[in-house]
Amino acid sequence: MPEHTFRLNGEQVTVDVADDVRLLWVLRDVLGVTGPKYGCGISVCQACVSHVNGKAVTPCTVPVGDLDASDEVTTIEGLPDTVGEELHPMQEAWLEQDVSQCGYCQPGQIMAAVALVRRSAEEGRDITDDDLDGIRNICRCGTYLRIREAIRAGAAHM
Amino acid sequence: MSTDGEAPVSEPGGHVVGRRRFFGYVLAGATLVTAAGPIPATAAWAEEAQNESLSGSVDLNDVMTLAARPTSNLIKVEVHEDSTVSFALPRAETGQGITTSTAMLIAEELDVPVSQVRVTLADARPELVFNQLTGASNTTISTYTPVRTAAAIARRRLLEAAADEFGADLDDLVLREGVISDGSGHSAQIGSLVEKAASENTEEVSVDLKTSEDFSVIGEPQNRIDAVEAVTGRKKFTLDLDVDDALPTMVCRAPTINGTPESVVNTDEVLQMPGVTDVATISTGVAVRAETFGQCIDAVRALEVSWEPGSVDGLSDEDVLQELQEAELPMVPAPPGSSTVDETFTFYFRNNSALEPNCAIADVRSDSAEIWSGLKAPIVARGAIAEKIGLRPSAVTVHVPESGGSFGRKLFFDAAVEAAEASKEIGKPVKLMWHRADDTRQGRTQPMATSRVRISHDGDRVLRYDQRHTSVATDLSHGFGDVVTAMAAEIPGLDGTFAQVFFQLSQARSYDFGHESRLLNEVNRGFNTGSMRNVYSPNVVCARELMVDRLAQELDRDPYEFRRELLTDERARAALDRVAEVGEWGREMPSDTAQGIAFMHEYKSECAVLAEIDCRQETIDREVRDGVTGPRVTKVVLAVDVGLAVNPRGLEAQMQGCVMDGIALAMTSSLHLEDGHFLEASWDNYFYTRQWNTPPEIEVVIMPASGEPGGAGELGVAPVKAAVACAYGRAVGAMPTSFPINHGDLSFEPRPNVPPVPEPPSDGLDNAE
Ligand code: FES
Ligand code: FES
């Protein structure tokens, strides 16, 4: 079986799995990294959102063979380390706003939020209502309002 | 609430000994374990119930609370040497926050910090009979007193142990934040006293519970105790558990609802696919076990199966609608000389999926089985699993991990039974997951229904209200059924078909309509159905509220004022007044935008909602890729009186969630039935509320405490749906009669149903953003 090497949450990892297995399953089923959740498998629900080289992707649509050895995959588990803290400011904001209900969607929500704030910062602008309206992550518990509040608060500390 | 010298008070789930005195036990053991006393079914409430008509003040929650009473003594609080307090909650935490509110109840009576209380979820405990069913927003109602009683007994024992240890007088001791001190230099962590406080024999004791004036935890906003786990990804759901050798497993399903496998053409070929370990035919399809779920998906797509017909082959929306119309029960004649408003509403099928799909882990051996699944009715599930795999129920252990949402879906155990069958057939442990496409197409639905409403009136005076609800049958075989059946002997008036009784119990009277009759008739049992954050109310109440608006319009009355007059209860009026005030009812609005107002009383709670909607063309036309937009609800004000909100912050969160559900049901979420299958296959077909549909402004007003806790988890859904529907009707100038409002326009390209699950895209990196 082919070997694949990439960086995961700051460490080099190597897995033995077919090229076309999507990264979500490599993370969850092979490496036991279960923060990214399954909700659709076709890049709709965004429950699996993680970062590749700092940008948001849906690992359910990334064949593991597409990753290079230098590609840095960050899941919710590795997010605090990107700022060298116990928790990332966005996670702190999530706690502050008491966002989570069942919590199933929340790793994906937080990872999407961080990428959104980074994107807008690169464009030199603040988060707008349109940005928030454009977030595609589903929350079946309906925590959308507190998510909006948490993103604005978290952005202020990023 | 009672004060000194008054008659005994009754509490939900409580047996009153004296004024606020409850009895329970210190259980024999090496550490301190306490429990509330058993509550005889002849408690004060049941006697009151004798005098009430069925559709009056006795509701489904009373029945559930009554059913839980005889076993509330089996629910135990334990104090540990590290000063933590633990409690295994016999309910399912599905996001509603009951582990947090239960920790608060214990912290309150035991005077320990909430952070010192560990609430876990109990395995299936058959001895609890009816006391391990999570539903109808009943958890806090039925556990409020037993949990506090057990905690108060623990507190008392710890104080007695300290008095002995310090040689102090009991009255001089203070227990605060988990530390007992006597004011003259002695102090001890409660953990250091547990051995002394333990009892060799089980002892019966009685305690006073705090009255609400003394509460310092209950009623204060508290963030969730599991929040850190959730935001760090450490919270473990069923699919995150690592059970030895339980490899990913999925099922290839039929193209039509409940179709069954006849034969598999290419088993050998599929067995050769990368990662695949097993292929086995089970009653619902063909199970595939593989190293990863990705490889299961590939195998499911590759399987060539011939199928037996399903249970509703050939049927489409129109056929079911016709069946419903033909089954509508007749109306009684309107009173002579009265005028009427009369209308029929249609509610299409809706999917009750949570975000976590149906899933379970099963390890079935020849003589025993172990199951993990987020189950709200684990005792009933255990029986069904045992039957499926031919074991005695006592040979089946059922664990209840935390659930990724429920909304009614997890009252059932479809995945748990299926996983058990697959594990048995394959002869290995399985971690079974439904693909989202399966969850949407073959999963349970809120059944399609029609509701005809007629209000007869003489001028401003309403003479009678009649509603004929006709629905595809709702499956209630998950335990509610057992509760109601078992309690039937205890409650007068429980007769008629089971569904009819259940309907009556779950529909409370909201307005003073003079005479009321509400009847249910059910048709077609071929669909997979269940409740969806409430069983009937989102439809029944929506229809009623629209008709109250219509009557108000005919009488040229203001919808708020008119409702206000029809409400006789003070708490109800107060909630309605509050939304009118906070939401500035009647304010000037631009054309094509409007306000709507609605009210509902349910499970001892009151809920009023004011919604504003924007139906201007430019709003309707706003574009979102693969999403539906349409009219936007711009503001929701919701006032809720649940008697006593144990955790206002949690209650606010629940109500915000109800807002999203209510909007979805009114505007965008439905399934389209075509030729025996649903067209929807994922969240980009089935349009639950998304950020672009979320109202920019939501205000939840929690009314001041007015008594004991009432139901809350699903309370807001129906009145939000109704208020949004009323607002829409007023904005466009025509009352909507079919829901959701956009059902007539199919806003997506249906995915194929053979193979049953879609191909995963492979362009993830190209779309990085
Ligand atoms: S599982 Fe990846 S987007 Fe839904
Ligand atoms: S918190 Fe449950 S799905 Fe978002």
Side-chain angles (χ1 to χ4, degrees):
Chain A
M1 238 188 298
E3 286 203 340
H4 302 279
T5 300
F6 55 95
R7 294 185 60 77
L8 173 61
N9 297 331
E11 285 177 26
Q12 203 75 38
V13 293
T14 300
V15 290
D16 228 1
V17 67
D19 288 0
D20 62 346
V21 175
R22 305 300 190 267
L23 176 60
L24 178 62
W25 310 117
V26 173
L27 292 171
R28 292 185 54 89
D29 302 339
V30 180
L31 295 166
V33 175
T34 56
K37 303 295 183 228
Y38 166 87
C40 70
I42 52 171
S43 199
V44 169
C45 74
Q46 315 291 303
C48 65
V49 170
S50 300
H51 297 165
V52 172
N53 303 326
K55 291 191 183 305
V57 300
T58 49
C60 63
T61 61
V62 177
V64 65
D66 284 6
L67 291 175
D68 290 333
S70 61
D71 281 330
E72 178 72 51
V73 176
T74 309
T75 67
I76 188 77
E77 288 91 340
L79 183 64
D81 278 348
T82 62
V83 291
E85 300 284 342
E86 196 72 14
L87 289 174
H88 186 278
M90 197 59 81
Q91 291 169 307
E92 297 279 10
W94 240 251
L95 293 179
E96 193 64 32
Q97 303 295 331
D98 201 31
V99 175
S100 303
Q101 290 192 26
C102 79
Y104 195 83
C105 73
Q106 301 298 350
Q109 301 277 7
I110 293 169
M111 296 306 278
V114 169
L116 170 65
V117 174
R118 282 186 191 148
R119 223 157 47 231
S120 69
E122 270 164 30
E123 291 165 18
R125 55 182 191 79
D126 287 337
I127 296 288
T128 62
D129 277 331
D130 281 349
D131 287 327
L132 297 173
D133 274 4
I135 294 174
R136 304 190 64 84
N137 298 59
I138 287 176
C139 175
R140 186 59 187 79
C141 297
T143 65
Y144 297 116
L145 190 73
R146 288 189 181 177
I147 287 172
R148 294 169 91 96
E149 289 164 354
I151 294 176
R152 289 188 192 278
H157 294 103
M158 264 175 71
Chain B
M1 194 144 311
S2 165
T3 53
D4 279 51
E6 284 185 11
V9 292
S10 106
E11 292 210 3
H15 175 219
V16 185
V17 183
R19 187 173 51 89
R20 305 284 309 177
R21 182 147 274 250
F22 296 85
F23 86 97
Y25 303 101
V26 183
L27 300 178
T31 72
L32 179 57
V33 186
T34 60
I39 322 289
T42 53
W45 174 82
E47 281 152 34
E48 271 166 39
Q50 310 284 330
N51 304 320
E52 301 287 350
S53 77
L54 186 56
S55 55
S57 71
V58 177
D59 64 30
L60 178 62
N61 249 283
D62 294 321
V63 177
M64 291 179 71
T65 303
L66 185 64
R69 283 180 181 209
T71 54
S72 30
N73 61 317
L74 300 174
I75 303 182
K76 291 172 280 191
V77 167
E78 185 166 357
V79 186
H80 302 271
E81 278 177 9
D82 62 358
S83 294
T84 59
V85 182
S86 65
F87 179 75
L89 181 66
R91 295 290 185 280
E93 172 63 81
T94 60
Q96 73 279 48
I98 54 175
T99 51
T100 302
S101 57
T102 303
M104 292 173 71
L105 298 180
I106 293 171
E108 179 69 81
E109 286 296 338
L110 199 40
D111 288 307
V112 296
V114 174
S115 60
Q116 244 162 271
V117 185
R118 285 182 284 126
V119 177
T120 54
L121 304 181
D123 284 354
R125 292 179 55 192
E127 75 279 13
L128 293 178
V129 198
F130 299 134
N131 201 356
Q132 195 170 13
L133 177 62
T134 314
S137 307
N138 177 259
T139 298
T140 307
I141 299 181
S142 60
T143 62
Y144 180 62
T145 301
V147 168
R148 286 187 306 140
T149 302
I153 291 171
R155 178 181 190 277
R156 192 179 167 83
R157 284 297 282 208
L158 289 163
L159 285 170
E160 285 167 358
D164 195 44
E165 180 95 4
F166 302 164
D169 209 37
L170 201 56
D171 291 342
D172 294 334
L173 296 180
V174 181
L175 170 48
R176 197 169 292 136
E177 297 281 299
V179 176
I180 299 177
S181 47
D182 68 353
S184 49
H186 294 111
S187 84
Q189 293 276 344
I190 54 170
S192 66
L193 295 161
V194 293
E195 221 173 294
K196 202 175 180 91
S199 176
E200 262 177 41
N201 306 307
T202 294
E203 277 177 42
E204 187 177 314
V205 284
S206 64
V207 282
D208 291 327
L209 297 186
K210 287 186 184 173
T211 53
S212 55
E213 306 86 71
D214 297 325
F215 286 165
S216 61
V217 180
I218 294 174
E220 293 301 314
Q222 168 75 43
N223 283 6
R224 290 178 65 115
I225 58 175
D226 56 356
V228 174
E229 301 282 289
V231 304
T232 53
R234 291 200 291 263
K235 183 167 177 178
K236 294 280 185 232
F237 301 92
T238 299
L239 291 169
D240 303 335
L241 300 177
D242 188 11
V243 172
D244 212 23
D245 203 30
L247 288 189
T249 302
M250 290 175 89
V251 176
C252 177
R253 295 171 205 279
T256 60
I257 293 170
N258 296 329
T260 54
E262 186 195 51
S263 63
V264 187
V265 179
N266 59 344
T267 307
D268 291 341
E269 197 182 304
V270 172
L271 275 168
Q272 297 306 311
M273 292 177 70
V276 175
T277 63
D278 302 87
V279 174
T281 299
I282 59 172
S283 43
T284 47
V286 181
V288 189
R289 181 173 173 274
E291 297 290 333
T292 67
F293 278 112
Q295 289 158 327
C296 291
I297 292 171
D298 293 344
V300 165
R301 289 179 51 79
L303 276 168
E304 287 171 37
V305 184
S306 55
W307 300 98
E308 299 284 358
S311 53
V312 292
D313 278 12
L315 293 187
S316 297
D317 277 342
E318 315 76 81
D319 306 302
V320 180
L321 185 57
Q322 195 184 344
E323 204 179 339
L324 291 169
Q325 284 161 347
E326 286 165 5
E328 186 179 287
L329 295 173
M331 283 281 184
V332 287
S338 64
S339 315
T340 60
V341 287
D342 201 325
E343 188 63 77
T344 302
F345 300 86
T346 303
F347 303 93
Y348 287 95
F349 284 103
R350 287 127 299 174
N351 179 280
N352 69 359
S353 292
L355 189 54
E356 173 191 38
N358 285 351
C359 57
I361 296 173
D363 182 356
V364 176
R365 309 287 168 97
S366 60
D367 55 352
S368 68
E370 205 169 352
I371 310 288
W372 291 258
S373 192
L375 299 169
K376 290 177 117 183
I379 303 172
V380 184
R382 180 172 172 265
I385 292 162
E387 190 179 310
K388 186 78 186 182
I389 56 180
L391 289 178
R392 278 172 298 107
S394 57
V396 179
T397 305
V398 174
H399 306 288
V400 183
E402 310 237 16
S403 299
S406 167
F407 319 109
R409 187 50 86 81
K410 290 181 181 162
L411 276 162
F412 289 92
F413 28 83
D414 302 313
V417 172
E418 200 173 55
E421 188 188 0
S423 174
K424 181 180 171 171
E425 285 306 318
I426 292 170
K428 297 173 191 166
V430 300
K431 181 185 276 187
L432 183 137
M433 177 177 91
W434 286 38
H435 195 282
R436 175 61 53 198
D438 299 331
D439 214 80
T440 313
R441 285 177 164 160
Q442 301 274 3
R444 289 178 185 269
T445 63
Q446 170 94 328
M448 186 168 165
T450 59
S451 217
R452 180 174 169 199
V453 175
R454 187 168 68 196
I455 308 180
S456 311
H457 63 105
D458 179 7
D460 270 17
R461 200 160 63 91
V462 174
L463 301 176
R464 54 177 300 142
Y465 176 90
D466 297 285
Q467 188 158 11
R468 298 291 176 264
H469 199 69
T470 317
S471 178
V472 166
T474 305
D475 188 346
L476 299 169
S477 63
H478 44 54
F480 276 143
D482 300 347
V483 170
V484 173
T485 309
M487 289 295 109
E490 315 253 359
I491 302 161
L494 275 189
D495 47 20
T497 67
F498 168 69
Q500 185 66 251
V501 167
F502 191 86
F503 180 69
Q504 296 297 346
L505 281 171
S506 64
Q507 295 305 304
R509 190 191 298 266
S510 287
Y511 296 107
D512 182 8
F513 279 143
H515 188 79
E516 281 194 43
S517 82
R518 282 160 303 177
L519 296 176
L520 170 73
N521 197 24
E522 292 192 323
V523 301
N524 199 320
R525 283 162 206 284
F527 291 94
N528 303 322
T529 60
S531 59
M532 180 157 98
R533 218 168 180 176
N534 207 306
V535 185
Y536 309 105
S537 297
N539 300 338
V540 170
V541 170
C542 181
R544 180 191 75 207
E545 292 298 306
L546 284 164
M547 291 304 278
V548 171
D549 261 21
R550 172 170 284 180
L551 179 58
Q553 190 187 17
E554 292 214 350
L555 298 172
D556 206 17
R557 300 291 314 277
D558 174 79
Y560 157 57
E561 295 290 344
F562 187 57
R563 280 182 175 77
R564 200 171 186 286
E565 278 168 31
L566 288 169
L567 290 175
T568 44
D569 182 78
E570 279 311 310
R571 288 170 65 203
R573 279 190 171 188
L576 189 73
D577 287 348
R578 200 82 176 102
V579 296
E581 181 195 326
V582 174
E584 297 173 66
W585 173 256
R587 77 185 181 92
E588 252 341 283
M589 301 269 295
S591 58
D592 301 325
T593 70
Q595 295 179 314
I597 194 164
F599 172 80
M600 182 181 78
H601 164 88
E602 187 166 88
Y603 303 154
K604 323 278 181 236
S605 299
E606 320 291 335
C607 188
V609 178
L610 182 152
E612 291 186 0
I613 200 166
D614 178 354
C615 300
R616 290 177 294 192
Q617 205 56 46
E618 64 267 32
T619 302
I620 292 174
D621 291 344
R622 72 198 192 281
E623 288 277 336
V624 172
R625 169 173 57 90
D626 296 333
V628 291
T629 51
R632 183 152 189 185
V633 179
T634 47
K635 181 175 177 176
V636 173
V637 178
L638 182 153
V640 58
D641 182 342
V642 294
L644 173 65
V646 173
N647 181 8
R649 189 128 215 236
L651 177 61
E652 182 194 61
Q654 287 295 295
M655 292 305 108
Q656 290 170 346
C658 288
V659 168
M660 305 309 164
D661 279 27
I663 291 172
L665 293 177
M667 307 302 295
T668 59
S669 296
S670 59
L671 294 166
H672 292 78
L673 180 70
E674 197 178 286
D675 201 12
H677 74 280
F678 291 120
L679 297 181
E680 281 74 4
S682 197
W683 299 106
D684 56 344
N685 305 163
Y686 184 76
F687 297 109
Y688 181 67
T689 303
R690 304 283 281 271
Q691 282 288 7
W692 55 84
N693 313 111
T694 297
E697 258 185 279
I698 300 178
E699 185 152 359
V700 174
V701 181
I702 295 173
M703 302 298 283
S706 59
E708 309 290 352
E714 46 196 52
L715 184 64
V717 178
V720 169
K721 178 182 182 183
V724 168
C726 289
Y728 178 82
R730 298 178 81 223
V732 303
M735 180 175 77
T737 57
S738 170
F739 292 91
I741 281 155
N742 79 342
H743 186 81
D745 309 308
L746 197 64
S747 347
F748 61 93
E749 186 64 43
R751 292 194 173 86
N753 53 350
V754 180
V757 302
E759 185 179 7
S762 55
D763 57 353
L765 284 189
D766 303 338
N767 298 324
E769 51 173 22

